[in-house]
Amino acid sequence: MVSFPEERLGLPIGPEFGPFAEDSAVDLMLHVLDEFIHHAAEIALLRDLYHRLS
C-alpha cells in the first residue's frame, strides 16, 4: 500500500508535472479518480453491449 503524508496534500506537486506544477496533491488525486471512474464506465458499457449483441 502506498501512503502519502497528510501535511503534503495541499502543497504544489512540483515541476515534474509541467503546467500542473502548482496544483495540489489533492487536485492530482481527484483527477486520477475521475479518470478511473470515466474509463471504468466505458469498459462497463462495452461489456454490456457485447453481452447484448452476442
Side-chain angles (χ1 to χ4, degrees), residues 15-34:
E16 306 87 35
F17 292 91
F20 306 103
E22 295 301 314
D23 290 351
S24 71
V26 171
D27 293 331
L28 177 62
M29 290 177 191
L30 289 174
H31 174 72
V32 170
L33 180 60
D34 182 56

Side-chain angles (χ1 to χ4, degrees), residues 1-13 24-26 29:
M1 178 179 222
V2 176
S3 65
F4 195 84
E6 189 174 332
E7 55 274 359
R8 289 189 52 208
L9 289 176
L11 298 177
I13 52 179
S24 71
V26 171
M29 290 177 191

